[in-house]
Amino acid sequence: MLALDDSAIARDGKILILAYDHGLEHGPTDFEGLEERMDPQTVFDVATHDAVTSIAVQKGIAEGYYPSYEDDVALLAKLNGTSNLWMGEPDSAVNCSVEYAAELGADAIGFTLYGGSNHEIEMAEEFRDAHEAAREYDLPSVMWSYPRGQGLKDDTDPGTIAYAARQALELGADVAKVKYPGSRDAMEHAVRAAGGPNGTSVIMSGGSKVSDEAFLKNVKAVIDAGGAGLAVGRNIWQRENPTELLDALEAVIFEEASVDAALD
Amino acid sequence: MLALDDSAIARDGKILILAYDHGLEHGPTDFEGLEERMDPQTVFDVATHDAVTSIAVQKGIAEGYYPSYEDDVALLAKLNGTSNLWMGEPDSAVNCSVEYAAELGADAIGFTLYGGSNHEIEMAEEFRDAHEAAREYDLPSVMWSYPRGQGLKDDTDPGTIAYAARQALELGADVAKVKYPGSRDAMEHAVRAAGGPNGTSVIMSGGSKVSDEAFLKNVKAVIDAGGAGLAVGRNIWQRENPTELLDALEAVIFEEASVDAALD
Amino acid sequence: MLALDDSAIARDGKILILAYDHGLEHGPTDFEGLEERMDPQTVFDVATHDAVTSIAVQKGIAEGYYPSYEDDVALLAKLNGTSNLWMGEPDSAVNCSVEYAAELGADAIGFTLYGGSNHEIEMAEEFRDAHEAAREYDLPSVMWSYPRGQGLKDDTDPGTIAYAARQALELGADVAKVKYPGSRDAMEHAVRAAGGPNGTSVIMSGGSKVSDEAFLKNVKAVIDAGGAGLAVGRNIWQRENPTELLDALEAVIFEEASVDAALD
Amino acid sequence: MLALDDSAIARDGKILILAYDHGLEHGPTDFEGLEERMDPQTVFDVATHDAVTSIAVQKGIAEGYYPSYEDDVALLAKLNGTSNLWMGEPDSAVNCSVEYAAELGADAIGFTLYGGSNHEIEMAEEFRDAHEAAREYDLPSVMWSYPRGQGLKDDTDPGTIAYAARQALELGADVAKVKYPGSRDAMEHAVRAAGGPNGTSVIMSGGSKVSDEAFLKNVKAVIDAGGAGLAVGRNIWQRENPTELLDALEAVIFEEASVDAALD
Amino acid sequence: MLALDDSAIARDGKILILAYDHGLEHGPTDFEGLEERMDPQTVFDVATHDAVTSIAVQKGIAEGYYPSYEDDVALLAKLNGTSNLWMGEPDSAVNCSVEYAAELGADAIGFTLYGGSNHEIEMAEEFRDAHEAAREYDLPSVMWSYPRGQGLKDDTDPGTIAYAARQALELGADVAKVKYPGSRDAMEHAVRAAGGPNGTSVIMSGGSKVSDEAFLKNVKAVIDAGGAGLAVGRNIWQRENPTELLDALEAVIFEEASVDAALD
């Protein structure tokens, strides 16, 4: 594991990833009502907020827009991803090599694993190659660890989320991005499953847009549970002005503020 | 993204691709009534028209005929393609390596992606390899971004076309070739989905032969919507004398003429 | 395309391939009644006839018998092929690398493509590799272009044969070996589909044994249609003394004789 | 075969592997009731007991925790493994390359083979690559030889276990880890099937937690049958204080003690 | 083809392979009643008999036991093989690379091809790689040419056996190991199908244990039919003292003795 304290994608061992790969994963419908967000520049601008420790994008977005922002935000190159036109068992195309990500100036790589899918084994082996290549460039790896597919009844069950965190640890990911399992206790279980203080760091995946307070309470629970932070997408860039929420997230994640204090 | 302004396959940031891979994709039936067009030389002759900024052909055609025309037109080497004898889910064989295309004098590569097909993931990974190899030769990549296959009801639905344009952006294509989504508004949506001015350029795919006026109106709508131009095949080379239409296309695409002025 | 005029497997731009891979493709039953032909030496002897411009065999036959004949006949190394014990969709194993064929002294490579088979795409990609490797050794490639498999009703339909010839052109084969489509007109259509004079050369595949006159008439029609010649197997080596027919073929193919004159 | 006498993972030709890959293979449920064992450090501490000749873990665990223990215990890098979310025929992802395992300081590699699974052949070929690469680093290979999948009725049948041991020998594993076949005689049969004294060493796989006496009796039977030792996981680290049992195992395995003496 | 006269695995152009891969292919049941034969050393001892020109074993057996016998018998490294736990269409894992076989001191490689299996094409391509790599080490290749799988009604039918021998020739094997087709005439047909004197040598596969006389009569028929000899396994090592039968085989194969003379 690479220590988050020295990592280009963390600050003081805490992480806030601004995720922006929804155009590939969900398609243009995610931009309904705020079409200007289809222009990546508007989201890179958001990413310059101090709270954001990296922006996660696919190769094409990095190639087109990161050069203007490389002094302002770290790049988390999401290596795999697939459109939701795909009708097969959950799977994800490897759209970018580690070598190319490094050329684009990536500070870390991101990789999805769908545990439980018919493609789990193939994806794990693709992760192996990415992980070992990333080590040669000293790039940390963040695993989107999302059990999904045949046989999975409930993908936010605490046991499933803990398993997802454990898979990330055993396979060598430095950070595990998991769905929120519903409570601080369940999150603590996942953090422990990831090996504890010296293991894989666990962060919560933001999910669809909810109220500020509800969202911040979950984030606070993650931090209190020993989680390293958050990856957030729609909850931020689907707002016209996300500064206020980013300020609040900064307080909760990096300054140990309570939700009430953060919302003031 | 590579800037189209400097690109060998664009002029003033605008594109007109003469596509001529129908012999592989559709077979000899596309030449019915004008059999001399089966001789590639006759189409390369058409491609010398000033309006044409590149000709898109498969490896064998490039190998056999491009040497006589390399001073007259840029070569867009279409790397994958498949006969319509194929009965499986939409897929496309990679018939040419980037290295070999470069040896043949290619100025850009072309690659089909069938989003939504059972082969989408495999094709996206083949595109990754082609895209990254093309970058080493400084060749731009043009994606034929055609959602197709199980689960796709309507492949010219505006949302589908916008998704197709977005996939091209996220995966790193410099140009997205998409079907016409039916209106200027829908095309504008696709252009924005492709990231806007600094993103992936969007061009319209010509489709089957229609009347000059109807065709030019669509092209004009594409240009007005911020599209970079057109890829046209049958609408040009299925005519005995395509000069007139090429003149008109040149006016609409490169000189901002109206359809009426162009047809005069 | 490589010009046939300079090719080691043509004479004056014309081709007569003696094909002898039936032991693999059809099995020993093809030798019933003339068992001595199972000894490749007897067929290599036939190939020393002036009319024959190359002999097409699999790797093992080339390895065992070609060394004694390399001064007498050109070697067309058939790279893929499969026994008829195979019960799956039409497919063909790649039994020999281009590198190894070159070591064996091959003057050209041969490759089967089953357009329309469930394995078409895989075979096209294997052909790509073979074709591009062959270019490095300056070896022409001959495609056995045989549409076959699910969805193919009639594999000698003129449209199908023209499509087969076109596929060979688009994929970069120097010579297309196709079944006889039933008439000179249909053959002419196929020759044009292959790009005409500067495109891929088209030759007829011999098929099962028929009468001399019927056979020669077809060959004559191919030549008159602009075809480059013939690949023949059983019609030659299933005879005890094939010299007479080879003399006649030589007259028809290389000396523009009529069938009547050739049979005299 | 590499002689166990010189091996870094054996002592006096005897082996006690502490296996700790259950977090991946079974998930967090294996830690119920003793959650602190999810922290690998607590198990590495156990592994420092003199009786343990190596600890078997996946890449991520080795990467995160082995650096602090490399002077205290040998590392057996388990190269493949899969979560039990996987619903397909038994299979195992190759999560770590031999090269990377060597970089992590591995003293041996571990590899699962599911004989009888639909993936047996693919796994055997992956083992070939791992085995031959390991030879270049002089690393012994331990095969988890577990017949499983369609057609397997009883995976602890003496004939099946003997077959599992034989497969390990024929494929080149230095050590075969097999399930206990139920009796000393059956174990002796397996040891002989593995080639006897100069062949592959056979060790018993611990299985789920049972009483000390029952467990030690099986281990004693293995040693008496000529087996080289034991791989144990849950029977050790699911205890709060495993020292006593490790002391007993040390007596039985390395000091030829009886079960009664060992339990005193 | 490599001439058998100069081959390390033949003597005077004749072959007697002692095959000992049954532990992998059939499992320990083949050793019932004579368990000591599970120790490879006992079979290597048998292989030191003058009649034996090579011993055929899998990688693990070669690695463990051949070093002590390399002056006494030639090593035929069987590269592929699979347990009979496998329930799929006939297939065989490639368990050893040619490079590694050469390091182990192999004098030849052995490779199974199941013509007619759904895996025939994949196996033929694996044989291609093995064959061409073996040529670089000047190692002859022996093909276990066993038509098997869907569509095969009778795998000892004379036509099938002749086809098996022919496949070996066409694919480049130096020696074809085929089942006995029931008569000298049928064997002669197979020998001719393999190209005759300068083609691929044909040897008979021993099969399950039968009486000495019956067995020797078949061997004699093979020799009389022009076959190069025999591969024998169970008929030899399932005996407590195989010397007598080996003496008789030596007489029949190498000294042209009659069966009666050989049995005296």
Side-chain angles (χ1 to χ4, degrees):
Chain A
M1 305 298 132
L2 301 179
L4 279 193
D5 289 343
D6 310 326
S7 170
I9 59 160
R11 199 168 80 233
D12 305 329
K14 289 286 184 298
I15 287 176
L16 198 167
I17 297 167
L18 183 59
Y20 181 62
D21 61 345
H22 306 71
L24 177 63
E25 297 283 346
H26 302 171
T29 55
D30 266 25
F31 303 102
E32 258 166 40
L34 206 66
E35 282 227 341
E36 65 261 34
R37 287 290 187 255
M38 297 204 298
D39 182 345
Q41 192 168 323
T42 66
V43 180
F44 273 89
D45 282 342
V46 172
T48 61
H49 189 287
D50 266 3
V52 176
T53 60
S54 74
I55 183 166
V57 292
Q58 289 281 331
K59 171 166 75 171
I61 307 276
E63 204 175 36
Y65 299 87
Y66 189 58
S68 310
Y69 293 88
E70 56 189 8
D71 295 334
D72 301 311
V73 64
L75 174 63
L76 171 50
K78 182 79 197 310
L79 300 187
N80 62 354
T82 289
S83 82
N84 70 13
L85 302 170
W86 173 258
M87 307 293 286
E89 266 277 294
D91 196 2
S92 200
V94 182
N95 297 314
C96 185
S97 70
V98 171
E99 291 67 23
Y100 197 74
E103 273 182 48
L104 294 175
D107 297 288
I109 61 157
F111 210 97
T112 295
L113 178 77
Y114 292 130
S117 161
N118 270 355
H119 298 288
E120 173 182 348
I121 284 176
E122 178 189 343
M123 296 179 84
E125 298 188 342
E126 290 167 344
F127 175 73
R128 173 200 66 217
D129 288 341
H131 171 268
E132 296 185 5
R135 284 289 181 254
E136 299 195 8
Y137 292 91
D138 285 321
L139 299 179
S141 54
V142 180
M143 183 182 283
W144 274 232
S145 193
Y146 289 178
R148 193 175 292 184
Q150 58 169 21
L152 259 295
K153 297 290 178 287
D154 175 2
D155 67 358
T156 57
D157 171 81
T160 302
I161 298 303
Y163 206 154
R166 186 73 186 188
Q167 272 196 290
L169 167 67
E170 303 247 351
L171 302 186
D174 300 292
V175 179
K177 177 173 176 279
V178 300
K179 290 191 190 294
Y180 186 66
S183 72
R184 176 182 157 166
D185 276 3
M187 195 69 194
E188 213 167 302
H189 183 52
V191 168
R192 297 182 78 178
N198 299 313
T200 295
S201 303
V202 180
I203 63 176
M204 162 187 152
S205 170
S208 55
K209 199 176 156 184
V210 296
S211 82
D212 287 13
E213 194 177 350
F215 182 54
L216 285 167
K217 278 187 174 166
N218 289 354
V219 175
K220 178 68 179 162
V222 168
I223 297 298
D224 290 345
L230 174 72
V232 63
R234 290 166 288 175
N235 262 308
I236 289 295
W237 55 251
Q238 279 182 353
R239 292 157 198 266
E240 287 209 32
N241 184 355
T243 304
E244 200 179 343
L245 183 54
L246 282 169
D247 290 342
L249 284 169
E250 188 168 18
V252 169
I253 296 173
F254 299 95
E255 297 154 15
E256 304 192 359
S258 68
V259 171
D260 288 348
L263 279 173
D264 270 352
Chain B
M1 306 297 133
L2 300 178
L4 279 193
D5 290 343
D6 310 326
S7 171
I9 59 160
R11 198 168 80 233
D12 306 330
K14 290 287 185 296
I15 287 176
L16 198 165
I17 296 167
L18 184 59
Y20 180 63
D21 61 345
H22 306 70
L24 176 63
E25 297 282 347
H26 302 171
T29 55
D30 266 25
F31 303 103
E32 259 166 39
L34 206 66
E35 283 227 341
E36 64 261 35
R37 287 292 187 253
M38 296 204 299
D39 182 345
Q41 193 169 322
T42 66
V43 180
F44 273 90
D45 282 342
V46 172
T48 62
H49 189 287
D50 266 3
V52 176
T53 61
S54 74
I55 184 167
V57 292
Q58 289 281 332
K59 170 166 75 172
I61 307 276
E63 203 176 38
Y65 298 89
Y66 189 58
S68 309
Y69 293 88
E70 57 189 7
D71 295 334
D72 301 311
V73 62
L75 174 63
L76 172 49
K78 183 79 196 313
L79 300 187
N80 63 354
T82 289
S83 82
N84 71 12
L85 302 170
W86 173 257
M87 308 293 286
E89 266 278 294
D91 196 1
S92 200
V94 182
N95 298 313
C96 185
S97 70
V98 171
E99 292 65 25
Y100 197 74
E103 273 182 49
L104 294 175
D107 297 288
I109 61 156
F111 210 96
T112 296
L113 178 76
Y114 293 130
S117 161
N118 270 355
H119 298 288
E120 172 182 348
I121 284 176
E122 178 189 344
M123 296 180 83
E125 298 188 340
E126 290 167 344
F127 176 73
R128 174 200 64 216
D129 288 341
H131 171 269
E132 297 184 6
R135 284 288 180 256
E136 299 195 8
Y137 292 92
D138 285 322
L139 299 179
S141 55
V142 180
M143 182 182 283
W144 274 233
S145 193
Y146 289 178
R148 193 175 292 184
Q150 56 168 22
L152 260 294
K153 298 288 179 288
D154 175 4
D155 67 358
T156 58
D157 171 80
T160 302
I161 299 302
Y163 206 155
R166 186 74 187 188
Q167 273 195 291
L169 168 66
E170 302 247 351
L171 301 186
D174 299 291
V175 179
K177 178 172 177 277
V178 298
K179 290 192 190 293
Y180 185 66
S183 71
R184 174 181 159 168
D185 276 3
M187 195 70 194
E188 213 167 303
H189 182 52
V191 169
R192 296 182 79 179
N198 299 314
T200 295
S201 303
V202 179
I203 63 175
M204 163 187 150
S205 170
S208 56
K209 199 176 158 185
V210 296
S211 82
D212 287 13
E213 195 177 349
F215 183 54
L216 285 167
K217 277 187 175 165
N218 289 354
V219 175
K220 177 68 178 161
V222 168
I223 298 297
D224 290 346
L230 175 72
V232 62
R234 290 167 286 175
N235 262 307
I236 289 295
W237 55 251
Q238 279 183 351
R239 292 159 198 266
E240 288 211 29
N241 183 354
T243 306
E244 201 179 344
L245 182 55
L246 281 169
D247 290 343
L249 284 169
E250 187 168 21
V252 168
I253 296 173
F254 298 95
E255 298 155 14
E256 305 192 359
S258 69
V259 171
D260 287 349
L263 280 172
D264 269 354
Chain C
M1 304 300 130
L2 300 179
L4 278 193
D5 289 343
D6 310 326
S7 170
I9 60 161
R11 199 168 80 231
D12 306 329
K14 291 287 184 295
I15 287 175
L16 198 166
I17 297 167
L18 183 60
Y20 180 63
D21 60 346
H22 305 71
L24 177 63
E25 297 283 346
H26 301 172
T29 55
D30 266 25
F31 303 103
E32 259 166 39
L34 206 66
E35 282 227 342
E36 65 260 36
R37 287 291 187 253
M38 297 203 298
D39 182 345
Q41 194 169 320
T42 66
V43 181
F44 273 89
D45 282 341
V46 172
T48 61
H49 188 288
D50 266 3
V52 176
T53 61
S54 75
I55 184 166
V57 292
Q58 290 282 331
K59 171 166 75 172
I61 306 276
E63 203 175 38
Y65 299 87
Y66 188 58
S68 311
Y69 293 88
E70 57 190 6
D71 295 334
D72 302 311
V73 63
L75 173 64
L76 171 49
K78 183 78 196 315
L79 300 187
N80 63 354
T82 290
S83 83
N84 72 12
L85 302 171
W86 173 257
M87 308 293 286
E89 267 276 294
D91 197 1
S92 199
V94 182
N95 298 314
C96 185
S97 70
V98 171
E99 292 65 25
Y100 197 73
E103 273 183 49
L104 294 176
D107 297 288
I109 61 158
F111 210 96
T112 295
L113 179 76
Y114 294 130
S117 161
N118 270 356
H119 298 289
E120 172 183 347
I121 284 176
E122 178 189 343
M123 296 180 85
E125 298 188 341
E126 290 167 344
F127 176 73
R128 173 201 66 217
D129 288 341
H131 171 269
E132 296 184 7
R135 285 288 181 255
E136 299 195 9
Y137 291 92
D138 285 321
L139 299 179
S141 54
V142 180
M143 183 182 283
W144 274 232
S145 193
Y146 290 177
R148 193 175 292 183
Q150 57 167 24
L152 260 296
K153 298 288 179 290
D154 175 4
D155 68 357
T156 58
D157 171 80
T160 301
I161 299 303
Y163 206 155
R166 186 74 186 188
Q167 273 196 290
L169 168 66
E170 302 247 352
L171 301 187
D174 300 291
V175 179
K177 177 171 177 278
V178 298
K179 289 192 189 295
Y180 185 66
S183 72
R184 175 182 159 167
D185 276 3
M187 196 68 195
E188 212 166 303
H189 183 52
V191 169
R192 296 183 78 178
N198 299 314
T200 295
S201 302
V202 179
I203 63 175
M204 164 188 150
S205 170
S208 56
K209 199 176 158 184
V210 296
S211 81
D212 287 12
E213 193 177 351
F215 183 54
L216 285 167
K217 277 187 175 165
N218 288 354
V219 175
K220 178 68 179 162
V222 169
I223 297 297
D224 289 346
L230 173 73
V232 61
R234 289 166 287 176
N235 262 307
I236 289 295
W237 55 251
Q238 280 182 350
R239 293 158 198 268
E240 288 210 30
N241 184 355
T243 305
E244 200 179 343
L245 182 55
L246 282 169
D247 290 343
L249 283 170
E250 188 169 21
V252 169
I253 295 173
F254 298 96
E255 297 156 13
E256 304 191 358
S258 68
V259 171
D260 287 349
L263 281 173
D264 270 354
Chain D
M1 304 299 131
L2 300 179
L4 279 193
D5 289 342
D6 310 326
S7 171
I9 59 160
R11 200 170 77 232
D12 305 329
K14 289 286 184 297
I15 287 176
L16 197 166
I17 297 168
L18 183 59
Y20 180 63
D21 60 346
H22 306 72
L24 177 63
E25 297 282 346
H26 302 171
T29 54
D30 266 24
F31 304 103
E32 260 166 38
L34 206 66
E35 282 227 342
E36 65 260 34
R37 287 290 187 252
M38 297 204 297
D39 182 345
Q41 194 168 321
T42 65
V43 180
F44 273 89
D45 283 341
V46 172
T48 61
H49 189 288
D50 266 3
V52 177
T53 61
S54 74
I55 183 166
V57 291
Q58 289 282 330
K59 171 167 74 171
I61 306 276
E63 204 175 35
Y65 299 88
Y66 189 57
S68 310
Y69 293 89
E70 57 190 7
D71 295 335
D72 302 311
V73 63
L75 174 63
L76 171 49
K78 182 79 196 312
L79 300 187
N80 63 355
T82 289
S83 82
N84 72 12
L85 302 170
W86 172 257
M87 307 292 287
E89 268 276 294
D91 197 1
S92 200
V94 182
N95 297 314
C96 185
S97 69
V98 171
E99 291 67 23
Y100 197 74
E103 274 183 48
L104 294 176
D107 297 289
I109 61 158
F111 210 96
T112 295
L113 178 77
Y114 293 131
S117 162
N118 271 355
H119 298 288
E120 172 182 348
I121 284 176
E122 177 189 344
M123 296 179 85
E125 297 188 343
E126 290 166 344
F127 176 73
R128 172 200 66 216
D129 289 342
H131 171 269
E132 296 184 7
R135 284 289 181 253
E136 299 195 8
Y137 292 91
D138 285 322
L139 299 179
S141 54
V142 180
M143 182 182 284
W144 274 232
S145 193
Y146 289 178
R148 192 175 294 183
Q150 57 169 23
L152 260 295
K153 298 289 178 287
D154 175 3
D155 67 358
T156 57
D157 171 82
T160 302
I161 298 303
Y163 206 155
R166 186 73 185 188
Q167 273 196 290
L169 167 67
E170 303 246 350
L171 301 187
D174 299 292
V175 179
K177 176 172 178 280
V178 299
K179 290 192 189 296
Y180 185 66
S183 71
R184 175 182 158 167
D185 277 2
M187 195 69 194
E188 211 167 304
H189 183 51
V191 169
R192 297 183 78 177
N198 299 314
T200 294
S201 304
V202 180
I203 63 176
M204 162 187 152
S205 169
S208 55
K209 199 176 156 184
V210 296
S211 81
D212 287 12
E213 193 176 351
F215 182 54
L216 285 167
K217 278 186 175 166
N218 289 354
V219 175
K220 177 69 179 161
V222 168
I223 296 298
D224 289 345
L230 174 73
V232 62
R234 289 166 287 176
N235 263 308
I236 290 295
W237 54 250
Q238 279 182 352
R239 293 159 196 265
E240 287 208 34
N241 184 355
T243 305
E244 199 179 345
L245 182 55
L246 282 169
D247 290 343
L249 284 169
E250 189 169 17
V252 169
I253 297 174
F254 298 95
E255 297 155 15
E256 305 192 358
S258 68
V259 171
D260 287 348
L263 279 173
D264 270 351
Chain E
M1 304 300 131
L2 300 179
L4 279 193
D5 289 343
D6 310 327
S7 170
I9 59 160
R11 199 170 79 233
D12 306 327
K14 290 287 184 294
I15 287 176
L16 198 166
I17 298 167
L18 183 60
Y20 180 63
D21 60 346
H22 305 71
L24 177 63
E25 297 283 346
H26 302 172
T29 54
D30 267 24
F31 303 102
E32 259 165 38
L34 206 66
E35 283 227 341
E36 66 260 35
R37 286 289 187 253
M38 297 204 297
D39 182 344
Q41 194 168 320
T42 65
V43 180
F44 273 89
D45 282 342
V46 173
T48 60
H49 188 287
D50 266 2
V52 177
T53 60
S54 74
I55 183 166
V57 291
Q58 290 281 331
K59 171 166 74 172
I61 306 275
E63 203 175 36
Y65 300 87
Y66 189 58
S68 310
Y69 293 88
E70 57 190 5
D71 295 334
D72 301 311
V73 63
L75 174 63
L76 171 49
K78 182 78 196 314
L79 300 187
N80 62 354
T82 290
S83 82
N84 71 11
L85 301 170
W86 173 257
M87 308 292 286
E89 267 275 293
D91 196 2
S92 200
V94 182
N95 297 315
C96 185
S97 70
V98 171
E99 292 66 23
Y100 198 73
E103 273 182 49
L104 294 176
D107 298 288
I109 61 158
F111 211 96
T112 296
L113 178 77
Y114 293 130
S117 161
N118 270 355
H119 298 289
E120 172 182 348
I121 284 176
E122 179 189 343
M123 296 179 85
E125 298 188 341
E126 290 167 343
F127 175 72
R128 171 201 67 217
D129 288 341
H131 171 269
E132 296 185 7
R135 285 289 180 254
E136 299 195 9
Y137 291 92
D138 285 322
L139 299 179
S141 54
V142 180
M143 182 182 284
W144 274 232
S145 194
Y146 289 176
R148 193 175 292 183
Q150 57 168 23
L152 261 295
K153 298 289 179 286
D154 175 4
D155 67 358
T156 57
D157 171 80
T160 301
I161 299 303
Y163 206 156
R166 186 73 185 189
Q167 273 196 290
L169 168 66
E170 303 247 351
L171 301 186
D174 299 291
V175 179
K177 176 171 177 280
V178 299
K179 289 192 189 295
Y180 185 66
S183 72
R184 175 182 159 167
D185 276 2
M187 196 69 194
E188 210 167 305
H189 183 52
V191 169
R192 296 183 78 178
N198 300 313
T200 295
S201 303
V202 179
I203 63 175
M204 163 187 150
S205 170
S208 54
K209 198 177 158 185
V210 295
S211 80
D212 287 11
E213 193 176 352
F215 183 53
L216 285 168
K217 278 187 175 166
N218 289 353
V219 176
K220 177 68 179 161
V222 168
I223 297 297
D224 290 345
L230 174 73
V232 61
R234 289 166 287 176
N235 262 308
I236 290 295
W237 54 251
Q238 280 182 350
R239 293 159 197 266
E240 287 209 32
N241 184 355
T243 305
E244 199 179 345
L245 182 55
L246 281 169
D247 290 343
L249 284 169
E250 188 169 19
V252 169
I253 296 173
F254 298 96
E255 297 155 15
E256 305 191 358
S258 68
V259 171
D260 286 349
L263 281 173
D264 270 354

